[in-house]
Amino acid sequence: MTQLGEFALRALAGYRAYIEDANRHAMLAIIPEIEAAGSEDFGTPEEIQAERLRFVRAMLGAGPELPIQRPADVLRNWDALVTPLVLDGAAVNPDPEWRAAMRKVYKSAILQGLGRLECPDGQWALPVDFEAVMNEVDSLEGPGWWASRNLGSHIFWEGWGENFGRMETPRRIQERVKDGQAIIQLVNQLDHNYDVAGGWELGCGVDAVFLAVYSRPKAGERQVWSWRYVASLGRVGIKIFKDLGGVLDWYKKYR
């Protein structure tokens, strides 16, 4: 593995640990409040407990198969819930064969889409750091949990779409690919400093879009083409990262 890939994986580990810790600290405050919520005016003790359970399951997007029979179980069974509830900011499906198949579909579709564009320095290839991270996780969803992510959160990489009410198809994935002009129109002022050959949309949010962009600085013909990651954040402006490790260090704290 290249140094860039290794750097990305270290950043991914730090990203997941940071978000898990932040979410656990949040639940240490939230869960006792849920456990104490309700009074006799809301029904019998059994009805109140059922409503507490319904609320916490809805908040976390937890199905009945998970070990949550009362709100306190979220903390009691934390280690078993982190991965299925994406409480570390990165989805990982438990079926490795399914994951491998989806990676193959995603990579093939992106490269087919890019293949319709002219590559300025040879043949298209995905960023090596993105491939390294893609081998480990199925999406990068940032801080928070199911309910907070469905209330306007910015999802950096939506992956195969499993957690967003749809599954990506090769056609949908290819539609994420954009030529340089389309990216320039989408990301205000990017062309002031960069030539852009193409790229693809990774994820989005309210007034935001995240892209992998093949570009070079406008400082002369000798500048090298390379992949960059662009976060276009509406009125906040844009952020440009030279590698995915830098993205993850920023994104783990972004809200």
Side-chain angles (χ1 to χ4, degrees):
M1 182 179 293
T2 66
Q3 288 185 337
L4 189 59
E6 291 175 351
F7 174 63
L9 292 184
R10 288 195 298 271
L12 176 64
Y15 160 92
R16 297 176 74 179
Y18 182 94
I19 291 177
E20 179 187 345
D21 185 65
N23 282 341
R24 188 173 186 278
H25 275 82
M27 290 300 152
L28 285 170
I30 293 170
I31 294 300
E33 294 289 334
I34 298 174
E35 284 278 10
S39 67
E40 292 181 358
D41 295 337
F42 290 91
T44 67
E46 292 77 14
E47 290 171 335
I48 293 170
Q49 185 60 27
E51 181 60 21
R52 291 169 180 159
L53 178 60
R54 184 204 65 78
F55 179 86
V56 79
R57 283 185 176 276
M59 178 181 73
L60 297 174
E65 75 282 359
L66 294 177
I68 305 175
Q69 300 306 317
R70 59 178 300 158
D73 288 341
V74 172
L75 296 172
R76 186 176 297 113
N77 299 320
W78 182 261
D79 289 346
L81 296 171
V82 169
T83 297
L85 296 179
V86 197
L87 294 172
D88 61 355
V92 180
N93 188 282
D95 184 346
E97 292 185 1
W98 181 88
R99 294 187 62 242
M102 291 306 299
R103 282 198 303 272
K104 184 176 180 180
V105 168
Y106 189 92
K107 179 178 178 178
S108 176
I110 293 296
L111 289 176
Q112 286 181 29
L114 290 172
R116 299 189 181 102
L117 310 177
E118 181 181 355
C119 183
D121 59 357
Q123 187 173 0
W124 289 104
L126 297 191
V128 294
D129 52 356
F130 179 80
E131 285 210 67
V133 168
M134 185 172 63
N135 285 337
E136 298 294 321
V137 300
D138 300 331
S139 67
L140 295 168
E141 303 181 19
W145 44 89
W146 190 88
S148 63
R149 291 179 183 133
N150 280 271
L151 291 174
S153 288
H154 294 166
I155 307 301
F156 178 78
W157 179 46
E158 296 177 4
W160 337 129
E162 184 182 18
N163 290 347
F164 305 100
R166 69 187 187 288
M167 288 301 298
E168 294 282 32
T169 64
R171 180 178 177 180
R172 283 180 176 174
I173 296 168
Q174 286 185 37
E175 288 173 351
R176 291 180 172 273
V177 175
K178 303 180 185 302
D179 62 25
Q181 190 58 41
I183 291 173
I184 288 169
Q185 291 176 354
L186 191 61
V187 182
N188 188 35
Q189 298 184 345
L190 181 63
D191 61 330
H192 289 191
N193 298 309
Y194 294 94
D195 296 319
V196 180
W200 81 96
E201 182 180 330
L202 296 161
C204 62
V206 178
D207 296 327
V209 63
F210 303 100
L211 304 113
V213 175
Y214 203 58
S215 57
R216 68 176 180 183
K218 281 189 171 181
E221 293 295 325
R222 295 185 179 181
Q223 292 290 337
V224 176
W225 289 91
S226 63
W227 285 104
R228 292 175 174 82
Y229 299 93
V230 175
S232 178
L233 305 170
R235 294 182 180 179
V236 177
I238 65 173
K239 289 185 175 294
I240 301 173
F241 302 89
K242 65 179 181 179
D243 54 57
L244 197 50
V247 172
L248 293 170
D249 285 343
W250 164 77
Y251 185 50
K252 67 186 180 186
K253 300 178 182 179
Y254 183 76
R255 295 183 183 275

